[in-house]
Amino acid sequence: MQKPEASSITSSRNGGEGEVRAFLESLTGPSRGNVNWLVDKTLTVSVDDERVLSLRPRDDLPPHDNDIATLQWADEGYTITASAGRNVWVNGQNASSVSLRHGDMIEFGEKGPMSRYRLCDHSFPARHTFEDILSDAYAYTRTSRRPFAEKMSGALRDSGRRLASQTTILFRITVLATLLVIAGFGYLLYQNDRRLADSIEQESRKIEAVAVMLAQTREDALTPDDLVSLRDAFENQVLSTEQRLGTLEQRAGAPTRVIAASTRSVAFLQGAYGLRHVESGKILRHVLGPNGENQRTPFGQPWIEPDGTGEPAEFQFTGTGFLIAGVPLMATNRHVALPWTSGNREKALSDAGLEPEMLRLLAYLPDQTKPIEARLVRFSEAADLAILAVETSRVQDLGIPLADATSRVGEELYLLGYPTGLKALIAQAGPGFLEDLEAEGTLNFWSIASRLSAQSKIHPLASRGIVARTSGSAIVYDAETTTGGSGGPALNRRGEVVAISAAILPEFGGSNIGVPVSQLRALLGEVESQ
């Protein structure tokens, strides 16, 4: 705030010398924020071409073209009188002469400027109150003849400036502290909202990732509808896809010696993995209800959480593997030994903050009534291959030799495996086994395989095909198989492994892709060099 000029004080002749009766504070124009102190009894008000407001004692200078009004002190207040031919507005009203009251808004001329008139009780007001500043802003917006948007922006801008410069130090500190507190709360709310959004996003990713895993589990699991379909096939004497695959050996005339010699070394793989929450280090478990039952989400999916109190959530799968002659090792696909690596599952799990962990991996061999625990030894980064370790004493004198040469186009080969998993095994076991399952009402993923093994009803299916194309990374053939047959051996006429079944290409007339045995030999070399 400006101090009154010395000339204004000393020029006061009609009142007590140095007495400040009132002041005008410019709210618009180039002089915005300046204060003109009213000391003399009679003053002339001028506005130049730049809209700068100035006051002078009336007797100091002769009249000037820029003079717009005079101020005359009388009865404890000033009266403003417009000069001839000039316009002055007081509180929005055009006035030729009017007695001013404390707080009046005066607009000098068509284009301003606008000032606020205040009495100051013959002393210099050091500061303005918060109420005064807001009152000025309100009066300005109410009385100004400018466009609404322009006067609103001006009022806000001027009020902010005055609050920052014309209020007491204590008030400014209080306002600053309040703003800091509000900013602090705003930051905390922002961080909390961000954490909540991250939590919701991660939970959404977790649900999406779990749904992807469950989709694979449903492919390998048995449902009551599956049993009904199998029973209908038996009753109607119709061979299902699973049974048809089992009879291809006889229909195609595949050499009995090759099939018989290799069957005992081809294993039905059954496994389950869980998901560990990376942040907490806990494995996802089922959330239990009041009666101990597994709860489900509103979307019908199993409700699993790191803090669940039920059993670990299992994501089940099946596949095929085969023993390698001369070593107590089993070969299969990487996507069988590490089922979460197929497709985009691994990325979905990582984005959801989850880490897969194998819970159980069993290998069922024909003619053996108990499963063998299997353990991943090594997998290939370049090819869809993995090697499992099994108990040496259980696999003595078993294994299929690996071919030395690559297959040629047109060569006949024989594919062994467990396509469609448990469904094919139940179909092969016959209607009696199916009737027992229906009578017991159990479809447990683990107990069905255990019962099949105990009754010596686990045997691979065989199919014949012709090699259509070969390369260093893949062999394409038309031997029939489907999901669950991955990891099975493709044999030549000498009973040697020439490829490992890896993928199905139904869009190309049922063609399938196998990984050449040379890739398996390279992976075995890595294991032996460990």
Side-chain angles (χ1 to χ4, degrees):
M1 180 172 293
Q2 295 179 349
K3 293 294 184 181
E5 297 178 2
S7 60
S8 297
I9 298 175
T10 57
S11 65
S12 177
R13 297 183 296 273
N14 298 316
E17 186 174 358
E19 292 182 349
V20 178
R21 296 179 171 86
F23 63 90
L24 292 176
E25 182 174 12
S26 297
L27 302 181
T28 63
S31 300
R32 181 175 58 246
N34 293 340
V35 173
N36 290 279
W37 304 96
L38 308 182
V39 178
D40 296 271
K41 280 191 174 183
T42 304
L43 295 164
T44 298
V45 182
S46 301
V47 177
D48 62 18
D49 294 338
E50 302 297 327
R51 296 171 59 221
V52 175
L53 182 72
S54 61
L55 286 84
R56 70 179 189 276
R58 186 172 182 180
D59 297 336
D60 280 4
L61 295 171
H64 193 275
D65 291 343
N66 291 334
D67 294 347
I68 193 168
T70 59
L71 291 170
Q72 180 69 43
W73 177 265
D75 299 329
E76 302 302 321
Y78 278 97
T79 297
I80 187 168
T81 303
S83 300
R86 308 302 291 269
N87 291 315
V88 174
W89 282 265
V90 177
N91 298 326
Q93 301 294 322
N94 196 333
S96 59
S97 180
V98 64
S99 295
L100 299 175
R101 294 175 298 176
H102 180 76
D104 282 347
M105 300 293 296
I106 307 171
E107 190 169 5
F108 298 95
E110 296 292 340
K111 298 181 180 180
M114 179 176 282
S115 298
R116 188 74 179 259
Y117 170 78
R118 290 189 185 279
L119 294 170
C120 54
D121 199 20
H122 303 280
S123 61
F124 297 125
R127 300 294 177 189
H128 291 292
T129 65
F130 179 71
E131 291 80 4
D132 285 343
I133 294 173
L134 292 185
S135 175
D136 288 349
Y138 171 72
Y140 168 70
T141 56
R142 184 170 57 85
T143 60
S144 175
R145 295 175 297 108
R146 297 188 177 189
F148 178 79
E150 186 176 339
K151 64 183 180 181
M152 285 298 296
S153 63
L156 292 174
R157 181 177 61 252
D158 193 61
S159 297
R161 176 189 59 78
R162 295 181 65 192
L163 287 171
S165 63
Q166 297 180 3
T167 52
T168 64
I169 297 297
L170 179 61
F171 177 83
R172 297 182 211 177
I173 293 175
T174 303
V175 171
L176 181 60
T178 302
L179 291 176
L180 289 175
V181 170
I182 293 174
F185 275 116
Y187 178 76
L188 291 176
L189 287 174
Y190 168 76
Q191 291 294 331
N192 186 61
D193 288 346
R194 187 173 180 180
R195 284 193 295 268
L196 180 61
D198 290 343
S199 176
I200 292 174
E201 183 179 2
Q202 188 166 14
E203 188 68 18
S204 174
R205 288 177 177 174
K206 186 185 80 174
I207 292 173
E208 180 183 355
V210 170
V212 171
M213 304 301 111
L214 288 173
Q216 177 61 38
T217 295
R218 283 193 290 269
E219 291 179 7
D220 296 313
L222 283 172
T223 66
D225 290 340
D226 293 328
L227 296 187
V228 172
S229 298
L230 289 170
R231 186 187 65 238
D232 291 344
F234 285 131
E235 292 175 353
N236 297 324
Q237 300 297 310
V238 177
L239 292 177
S240 64
T241 300
E242 294 83 0
Q243 293 170 294
R244 186 166 64 253
L245 284 170
T247 61
L248 283 176
E249 176 185 340
Q250 288 76 28
R251 290 174 59 188
T256 302
R257 179 186 57 80
V258 172
I259 303 299
S262 304
T263 293
R264 295 174 60 242
S265 299
V266 180
F268 171 64
L269 295 179
Q270 184 184 38
Y273 62 94
L275 300 176
R276 191 172 293 279
H277 188 237
V278 175
E279 185 176 350
S280 65
K282 298 178 180 179
I283 199 161
L284 297 186
R285 295 178 176 271
H286 287 279
V287 175
L288 301 181
N291 299 323
E293 73 280 8
N294 292 342
Q295 296 287 294
R296 289 188 172 272
T297 68
F299 303 101
Q301 303 287 7
W303 187 0
I304 53 178
E305 295 288 346
D307 296 322
T309 55
E311 292 295 320
E314 287 188 349
F315 300 89
Q316 301 159 348
F317 63 93
T318 61
T320 302
F322 63 92
L323 293 168
I324 303 170
V327 290
L329 298 173
M330 184 175 291
T332 187
N333 291 138
R334 181 182 63 228
H335 78 261
V336 173
L338 301 171
W340 53 83
T341 60
S342 61
N344 60 351
R345 299 176 190 175
E346 196 164 22
K347 183 179 185 305
L349 291 174
S350 177
D351 291 343
L354 301 173
E355 186 176 67
E357 180 178 309
M358 188 67 72
L359 301 177
R360 197 175 183 188
L361 182 58
L362 302 178
Y364 289 90
L365 288 168
D367 303 328
Q368 293 199 21
T369 57
K370 292 183 179 180
I372 305 173
E373 293 280 349
R375 175 179 56 85
L376 177 65
V377 175
R378 196 172 184 86
F379 64 89
S380 172
E381 296 285 357
D384 189 5
L385 289 175
I387 293 179
L388 309 175
V390 293
E391 186 180 342
T392 304
S393 61
R394 298 283 301 276
V395 297
Q396 289 181 352
D397 302 324
L398 294 177
I400 306 175
L402 306 182
D404 294 324
T406 303
S407 294
R408 294 171 296 177
V409 174
E411 183 178 352
E412 188 176 58
L413 53 74
Y414 312 100
L415 189 62
L416 297 176
Y418 295 88
T420 70
L422 287 175
K423 299 172 188 177
L425 292 175
I426 293 173
Q428 291 181 89
F433 186 85
L434 179 61
E435 290 171 3
D436 290 343
L437 286 182
E438 290 184 310
E440 293 181 6
T442 176
L443 295 175
N444 184 273
F445 180 73
W446 302 104
S447 63
I448 292 176
S450 179
R451 172 181 282 190
L452 286 166
S453 179
Q455 297 181 21
S456 297
K457 295 184 180 296
I458 291 183
H459 297 280
L461 302 175
S463 60
R464 185 189 69 168
I466 302 297
V467 175
R469 184 178 176 182
T470 65
S471 70
S473 59
I475 296 179
V476 181
Y477 46 83
D478 62 357
E480 191 172 357
T481 188
T482 186
T483 304
S486 295
L491 311 174
N492 59 21
R493 285 182 171 273
R494 294 183 296 277
E496 300 168 332
V497 178
V498 294
I500 300 87
S501 181
I504 306 167
L505 297 174
E507 63 271 26
F508 293 100
S511 295
N512 302 306
I513 294 178
V515 180
V517 71
S518 58
Q519 301 272 12
L520 178 57
R521 285 187 176 278
L523 187 59
L524 276 174
E526 294 178 12
V527 173
E528 293 171 354
S529 64
Q530 285 182 338

